Amino acid sequence: MAITNSAAAATTSSACIPFSSHHHHSPYAFTKLSFTRRPISKSPRLPTKLHVSSSKPTPTTAGAATTSKRNEEAIFFDGGAHYGDLLANLILGFTLLWLPLTLAAVFRAFYLRYRFTNLRVTVISGLTGQDRSDFSYDVVKDVQVVPRFIGEWGDVIITLRDGTKVDLRSVPKFREIAKYCLSMAEKPVVLKETGVKGF
């Protein structure tokens, strides 16, 4: 019994021996593992907002731009009678029979002006330009041309809806101007042209 008790006491005493860090060769020693931990940011990540701009204009802006463009007046032609009309009539003015026509050509050259824009037709006459007639393309019914001399200049006859005929004499580039008037009046661009008639 004594031997048994002493063996039990020895076993108990050996089990109660505290673990020391100096016993590196003990089979019961535990290896300390080190783990690397990433730092955790305490500040929350804010969502990123994307600002996307579109080049397509809004309907209101597009409509305003179209309206302003239509209201803006653009000049297609602004000038007086063709210089050939004056020159030809001055040469023939040496005869007394042609003198009235020569005086009319001088008046057209210095005191008559035509202006065609995208909104209206304007005829300015008089010594100081005080006589002025304007009409829009909405009242245009028909446009005809009459070539003069060899077709270098001609007359543009514009018929309005009320039957009034506006005779524009000795107009340079008369065919182009007549086609422009028809297109602005939303008419078929088909010129009604007669044969060449004098000066």
Side-chain angles (χ1 to χ4, degrees), residues 35 41 48 51 63 83 115 154 156 159 170 173 190:
F35 297 93
S41 177
T48 304
H51 300 279
Y83 66 90
R115 183 179 298 161
V156 179
T159 304
S170 305
K173 300 180 180 180
V190 179

Side-chain angles (χ1 to χ4, degrees), residues 3 12 15-17 25 27 34 64 68 73 78 81 84 95 105 126 132-133 135 145 158-159 161 163 171 178 183 199:
I3 297 174
T12 303
C16 296
I17 296 174
H25 301 285
S34 60
S68 62
E73 190 167 9
D78 187 2
T95 61
R132 175 170 174 163
S133 301
F135 58 90
V145 294
I158 301 176
T159 304
R161 294 184 182 275
V171 180
S183 63
F199 297 100

Side-chain angles (χ1 to χ4, degrees), residues 88-104:
N89 283 278
L90 284 176
I91 295 174
L92 297 174
F94 291 103
T95 61
L96 295 177
L97 295 177
W98 203 269
L99 185 59
L101 298 178
T102 302
L103 295 177

Side-chain angles (χ1 to χ4, degrees), residues 55-119:
S55 58
K56 185 177 180 180
T58 58
T60 305
T61 307
T66 305
T67 305
S68 62
K69 186 177 181 180
R70 289 181 179 177
N71 294 334
E72 184 178 355
E73 190 167 9
I75 298 176
F76 177 76
F77 175 82
D78 187 2
H82 195 279
Y83 66 90
D85 175 59
L86 176 62
L87 182 60
N89 283 278
L90 284 176
I91 295 174
L92 297 174
F94 291 103
T95 61
L96 295 177
L97 295 177
W98 203 269
L99 185 59
L101 298 178
T102 302
L103 295 177
V106 172
F107 178 83
R108 287 195 297 269
F110 292 99
Y111 305 110
L112 187 61
R113 194 171 191 86
Y114 308 123
R115 183 179 298 161
F116 297 86
T117 69
N118 59 327
L119 300 179

Side-chain angles (χ1 to χ4, degrees), residues 4-199:
T4 304
N5 292 336
S6 62
T11 304
T12 303
S13 61
S14 62
C16 296
I17 296 174
F19 178 77
S20 176
S21 58
H22 296 285
H23 298 156
H24 298 286
H25 301 285
S26 173
Y28 299 101
F30 296 95
T31 304
K32 187 177 182 181
L33 300 178
S34 60
F35 297 93
T36 304
R37 301 178 62 185
R38 295 182 180 178
I40 300 176
S41 177
K42 296 183 179 180
S43 59
R45 184 176 181 181
L46 298 177
T48 304
K49 295 183 178 180
L50 298 178
H51 300 279
V52 181
S53 60
S54 177
S55 58
K56 185 177 180 180
T58 58
T60 305
T61 307
T66 305
T67 305
S68 62
K69 186 177 181 180
R70 289 181 179 177
N71 294 334
E72 184 178 355
E73 190 167 9
I75 298 176
F76 177 76
F77 175 82
D78 187 2
H82 195 279
Y83 66 90
D85 175 59
L86 176 62
L87 182 60
N89 283 278
L90 284 176
I91 295 174
L92 297 174
F94 291 103
T95 61
L96 295 177
L97 295 177
W98 203 269
L99 185 59
L101 298 178
T102 302
L103 295 177
V106 172
F107 178 83
R108 287 195 297 269
F110 292 99
Y111 305 110
L112 187 61
R113 194 171 191 86
Y114 308 123
R115 183 179 298 161
F116 297 86
T117 69
N118 59 327
L119 300 179
R120 73 194 79 193
V121 178
T122 303
V123 181
I124 304 173
S125 60
L127 297 177
T128 58
Q130 71 276 9
D131 298 331
R132 175 170 174 163
S133 301
D134 298 87
F135 58 90
S136 65
Y137 296 101
D138 296 334
V139 299
V140 174
K141 181 180 179 181
D142 190 22
V143 180
Q144 299 178 359
V145 294
V146 180
R148 298 291 179 178
F149 192 45
I150 57 175
E152 291 296 325
W153 63 89
D155 302 342
V156 179
I157 304 173
I158 301 176
T159 304
L160 306 182
R161 294 184 182 275
D162 59 357
T164 304
K165 289 190 175 183
V166 182
D167 191 359
L168 309 178
R169 300 292 303 273
S170 305
V171 180
K173 300 180 180 180
F174 62 99
R175 292 186 180 90
E176 297 178 10
I177 292 175
K179 291 179 180 179
Y180 179 78
C181 292
L182 288 172
S183 63
M184 296 305 297
E186 298 181 354
K187 303 289 184 181
V189 185
V190 179
L191 286 181
K192 298 179 181 179
E193 182 176 337
T194 62
V196 178
K197 294 183 178 180
F199 297 100

